[in-house]
Amino acid sequence: MTVTPEQLRASAQAASAGLPALMLSAERLAAALMAGAHGQRRPGRGEDFWQYRPATAGDTMRSIDWRRSARSDGEFVRDREAEVPQSAAIWVSAAAGMDYSGGGNRPAKRQRADLLALALAMALLAGGERVALAGDPPRSGRMQADRLAQSLVARAALEADDDAPPAQALRPGQRVILFDDFLGDPQPALDYLRRAAGLGIRGALLQVLDPDEEGFPWSGAVLFRSASGAVCHDTRDAGGLRAAYLARLAERRKLLADAALNAGWHFGTHDTASAPSQALLWLWTVLEG
């Protein structure tokens, strides 16, 4: 199929329509966090004090800590902790269900996930880390934030109800953050965690849900249908399904939380009616910890 210049221009404009708003919101959100360098617990050219050690051959006079040395008979060097860039990979599900919003005053799940992903990336980049969307080469610098924003906005939503992070893109030494509603088949996520654990990779999963999916407010006759239309359920008593639904949701969360714990990861939840800063702070805390 041949695409005309006019069609290409229209597609590009549609794809970039949400970019300025996403960038502005993410920059404001990331500004709430102060990203620091990540110590490696070995001497180097960092900023943080690590240890005093006796001076040895090869140490210069400038490296001697004379105040510490004055308290003893020997000369001591003040070692600082080495700081090197880390690498982070971020994945946001593009499954059809991520475009769901139960209220006009709430963002779609994918819209909120994109915001959190970009804000987290900006904070990590500000700390000198290399960041990328899963499957892409990680880069550092301010321009990388622009690339990430463009990639997030330009992605087309899938027609399928499920999406899965690219397990083949896992690399030792990186950290990974996954954003999804995790309401579909959990097996791909469980397999991904097992593979990541085998490579010594750590990270976090954040389940992003709409408040309707958290509380199941429906009653009476309701036709439930997945975003792709592949799964449907027609009921005349939706309220009677609430207890079973909430039990299934709790069961799913426990499954994911246990799998994350076994893999050395963290599992958290967020609903789109809550402030995004809460989820961002949680992500920052578990990654820094």
Side-chain angles (χ1 to χ4, degrees):
M1 177 181 178
T2 302
V3 178
T4 67
E6 291 75 16
Q7 291 173 323
L8 180 60
R9 187 181 305 111
S11 298
Q13 290 174 345
S16 63
L19 184 57
L22 175 61
M23 286 292 294
L24 179 60
S25 298
E27 286 175 346
R28 290 174 176 173
L29 192 55
L33 296 175
M34 295 299 293
H38 305 279
Q40 301 301 299
R41 305 311 303 165
R42 58 179 174 80
R45 299 181 59 187
E47 297 294 331
D48 296 332
F49 168 74
W50 185 35
Q51 66 177 0
Y52 287 113
R53 62 170 175 80
T56 60
D59 289 324
T60 66
M61 295 296 290
R62 293 182 60 184
S63 66
I64 303 297
D65 189 297
W66 296 108
R67 181 174 297 181
R68 170 65 181 84
S69 300
R71 301 199 301 267
S72 64
D73 296 331
E75 296 176 341
F76 287 84
V77 172
R78 179 186 178 94
D79 273 342
R80 289 180 172 84
E81 187 179 356
E83 295 167 353
V84 299
Q86 294 190 18
S87 173
I90 297 175
W91 178 79
V92 180
S93 172
M98 288 294 286
D99 285 329
Y100 175 76
S101 173
N105 61 338
R106 296 195 295 266
K109 292 182 289 183
R110 177 174 161 180
Q111 185 180 353
R112 175 57 58 83
D114 283 348
L115 172 62
L116 290 171
L118 185 57
L120 179 62
M122 287 179 169
L124 294 172
L125 289 167
E129 294 201 26
R130 294 175 295 118
V131 185
L133 296 184
D136 293 338
R139 298 177 180 175
S140 59
R142 180 62 179 82
M143 290 299 296
Q144 180 64 354
D146 295 336
R147 298 187 193 99
L148 293 172
Q150 292 169 0
S151 295
L152 288 169
V153 171
R155 291 173 311 141
L158 299 178
E159 296 181 0
D161 291 320
D162 292 329
D163 192 12
Q168 70 277 7
L170 286 168
R171 296 293 182 270
Q174 67 180 181
R175 294 179 296 170
V176 179
I177 305 93
L178 307 180
F179 296 87
D180 195 0
D181 60 17
F182 296 106
L183 294 179
D185 181 7
Q187 197 57 51
L190 300 179
D191 293 341
Y192 187 91
L193 285 173
R194 279 193 287 268
R195 181 164 181 170
L199 294 171
I201 296 171
R202 299 293 179 262
L205 300 87
L206 185 67
Q207 183 183 49
V208 181
L209 295 180
D210 185 89
D212 287 354
E213 297 169 325
E214 292 268 11
F216 201 87
W218 299 283
S219 60
V222 178
L223 172 63
F224 293 101
R225 184 179 62 185
S226 67
S228 70
V231 180
C232 296
H233 180 75
D234 194 357
T235 179
R236 294 185 177 277
D237 182 20
L241 301 175
R242 183 174 297 113
Y245 170 84
L246 295 177
R248 288 286 298 276
L249 178 60
E251 178 184 334
R252 173 60 57 85
R253 285 176 165 171
K254 185 178 187 307
L255 175 67
L256 293 169
D258 289 345
L261 181 63
N262 291 335
W265 283 47
H266 300 271
F267 172 76
T269 63
H270 173 71
D271 74 77
T272 56
S274 301
S277 57
Q278 297 176 3
L280 184 62
L281 179 59
W282 177 82
L283 286 166
W284 184 255
T285 300
V286 299
L287 291 176
E288 290 299 285

